[in-house]
Amino acid sequence: MNILYYNWMTFNSTAGRGGGATSYLDRVIRTLSAHDDLRIVHLSSGTEYTANPKNTFYRQLASVGRVDRFEIVNSPVLAPAHLNMGNPMAAVEDTLTRDIFLDFIAKHGPFDVVHFNSIEGLSFRCLELKSAFPNLRIVLSLHDYYPFCPSVKLWRDGKENCTDNEEGRKCVSCPHTRVSTKAYISTKQIYSSFFGAALSDYDKLQRASIATSLYAYPIFSSAVRAETRRSGKSLSRGTASVDSKLERGYRAFLERGVEIINREADTVIAVSKRVMEIAQQRGISAHKIKQQYIGTANGVSPKLQRAKEDGAPMCIAFLGFATPEKGFFFFLDCLELLSSKQAKSIDVVVAARCDSATKKRLRRVGNRFHSFKHYDGYRAESLSEILQPVHLGIVPTLWEDNLPQVALEFAGHGIPVLSSNLGGSKEIGNCSDFVFTAGSTEDFNNKLCDIFFSFDSLAQKYFRHSRKFPDNAMHGEGLLQLYNSPTRSYAGVAQ
């Protein structure tokens, strides 16, 4: 079987680039590439630009083991998605990336399956493959909400969970930071062409390109000022025509993206039950969607890692990104509201990269507790050591986080998870004693105190009720079964 995987970031990216979808795909590809009867190819797009951005093409990268890697260069659709917020129409109208995709398959196939783990960096029209390759199986995994949200998270303006975009009208005022697409592409073109050696690091190049697009270009261009927005404020006056154009673009994005998926995809994989609910609410056909949990290193532990001795402190931990939507600052608010007596009965572990101001707040908060330990980020190989003293994991997400990898990491180490009622993390334990109302400090602290006083019995209840999540090998076999199932007959028409 020949399988083509797509994600906007290459699967073996380091330093967390591309988030959970990238690390997930890395595990899938490494698991399946051990099968001698499988040929696996990876394609990425939307991040690389050269001196002539109008010349869109693909090129081969260094292979990883038996896996060949390619990337599309100079895509008219930027990735990650927030960089394309100023140009939503391209994501549903562009046919250039589709034609390049078709050419790639013709020259580097044949493929039995194309599995999209994102559509960022491409037009949705890249799903229009069956007219040329009618036996091709097209699979789309929903690791985020990109088909229903141009900034992928359903997280309105960096402040709150978004439940209604009003057919794109709210999207116009939503992005906390929006750059002019043309300014960003030309900036990246210049930096990549003339300062490639000095800015060879992906993160440095991204920061430099975004900063120039936001702060330098608008000084010289009224058009860029009209299209560019930062901190929730327009950089120019009289932008009604720009806003009207964007509203039409967002409406087209939201309507046509779902329509193309329903017409072209054989299967849409929802990584949690909550994602499946949201996808169906937003228009994905029920007969297309399949709920399938992602694999982890060890699945979910069937038993508790450690009991809490009577009278001993309980150790709680937060892992991941120190961002508002992940509930990090909400978590700190909750800790600050605990009484001194409660705080002295709790050990706190935080493994998250933080800026200097946040580190100061962490130290101040940490001084209230029996003990406090901060790791400035973490790697997979260090998790067992970090989690060794932990009794309870905290996943306080304020958005509909599809299925947080950190929640699975906790549960895989035999650690129950106290999570918000948003997203998929609550499905792991399937236990209401470990679920609080998102954003409610009172409910969080009440649940935390209940768990403290009845930890052993509640933790055992958590693992009795916990769902059986697959390990990486089991998940890989599940994907192969899906890939081998019959494809539908093609009825769509690509134009």
Side-chain angles (χ1 to χ4, degrees), residues 4 27 35 77 83 97 145 214 217 222 226 248 268 298 327 355 372 388 394 400 419 459 465 477:
L4 173 61
R27 296 194 304 274
H35 292 238
V77 184
L83 296 177
T97 51
Y145 299 107
L214 279 175
Y217 264 95
S222 59
R248 292 195 302 272
V268 178
N298 303 304
D355 58 27
F372 172 77
Q388 193 279 327
I394 308 296
E400 297 277 11
S419 63
H465 287 79
E477 291 301 320

Side-chain angles (χ1 to χ4, degrees), residues 391-396 406-412 415-420 425-426 428-429 431 433-435 451 462-463:
H391 295 102
L392 179 69
I394 308 296
V395 182
V406 293
L408 290 172
E409 296 288 3
F410 282 130
I415 299 169
V417 181
L418 176 59
S419 63
S420 81
S425 57
K426 63 182 179 296
I428 298 174
C431 182
D433 296 290
F434 289 82
V435 180
I451 294 169
Y462 180 93
F463 283 102

Side-chain angles (χ1 to χ4, degrees), residues 297-359:
N298 303 304
V300 170
S301 172
K303 60 181 181 179
L304 183 66
Q305 174 176 264
R306 67 174 47 76
K308 187 181 82 67
E309 297 179 7
D310 290 341
M314 180 175 70
C315 183
I316 65 175
F318 177 98
L319 301 176
F321 295 101
T323 58
E325 69 271 23
K326 291 291 186 180
F328 179 74
F329 299 102
F330 164 80
F331 173 58
L332 296 187
D333 292 342
C334 292
L335 296 184
E336 288 175 332
L337 290 172
L338 288 172
S339 69
S340 297
K341 182 179 179 180
Q342 290 171 321
K344 293 302 180 184
S345 299
I346 296 175
D347 298 324
V348 178
V349 173
V350 171
R353 290 180 181 173
C354 303
D355 58 27
S356 56
T358 303
K359 286 179 180 178

Side-chain angles (χ1 to χ4, degrees), residues 24 28 292-296 470-480:
Y24 159 79
V28 167
Q292 186 178 61
Y293 290 117
I294 65 176
T296 61
D471 60 22
N472 291 326
M474 293 167 59
H475 179 66
E477 291 301 320
L479 287 176
L480 292 180

